[in-house]
Amino acid sequence: MSALVTKRSLRAVPVSDVQTVRVGGRNDPAFGGGPLDPTGKVRCVSDGVLVGSGPTIGGQTFRFGTSAVLRVEGVDILVVPERGQMLDLEQFHAFGIGPAPRRVVALKSMQHVRAAFEPITGRIVVCDSGALSTPDM
């Protein structure tokens, strides 16, 4: 295992290696604390460029930046350097993640998620993360 990998250095991460990748915590620590450092097997490294296929960004080129999929204790985590919402199933498919057969898919997304994801789910559960979107703020 190598030293801690930041999202900026994902390009150099070899697929199949076990790595620790720093994620989150770049905003105000009052909103969810500091970063996490999960360790897992790298399943995919990509330039993060994809073309949407769904109702919200269909046909549009979307750029996450150099991205990776890290499998941690059976959970696939898509690590991207650019902030953005999950608006399209292609945002998973482009990284080798098929969301439809999964029992649970967790998204960090506030708006426009339903158009793409409702057709593949039995239920959408909205969670309050205690961050900027919290109603009590």
Side-chain angles (χ1 to χ4, degrees):
M1 186 175 356
S2 64
L4 180 70
V5 175
T6 64
K7 288 190 264 185
R8 296 200 186 282
S9 61
L10 285 172
R11 185 169 314 182
V13 175
V15 173
S16 296
D17 269 14
V18 173
Q19 297 282 335
T20 300
V21 180
R22 174 150 290 168
V23 296
R26 293 188 335 188
N27 290 330
D28 187 336
F31 299 114
L36 300 175
D37 299 325
T39 299
K41 185 175 185 176
V42 178
R43 296 195 61 229
C44 170
V45 177
S46 166
D47 64 4
V49 178
L50 59 101
V51 177
S53 61
T56 305
I57 62 169
Q60 296 178 39
T61 300
F62 194 85
R63 291 174 174 80
F64 271 124
T66 301
S67 306
V69 176
L70 187 68
R71 179 163 282 172
V72 179
E73 297 182 23
V75 176
D76 288 333
I77 301 171
L78 176 57
V79 180
V80 298
E82 297 297 326
R83 292 183 191 130
Q85 296 197 40
M86 297 301 282
L87 305 171
D88 196 291
L89 295 176
E90 192 60 29
Q91 289 173 281
F92 281 112
H93 292 255
F95 302 100
I97 301 172
R102 305 285 174 127
R103 196 166 152 241
V104 174
V105 175
L107 307 173
K108 181 182 170 187
S109 192
M110 185 61 190
Q111 302 171 358
H112 308 299
V113 68
R114 293 181 184 275
F117 290 90
E118 271 186 337
I120 67 161
T121 185
R123 174 171 72 150
I124 291 179
V125 177
V126 177
C127 300
D128 180 358
S129 68
L132 295 173
S133 300
T134 299
D136 298 326
M137 297 297 299

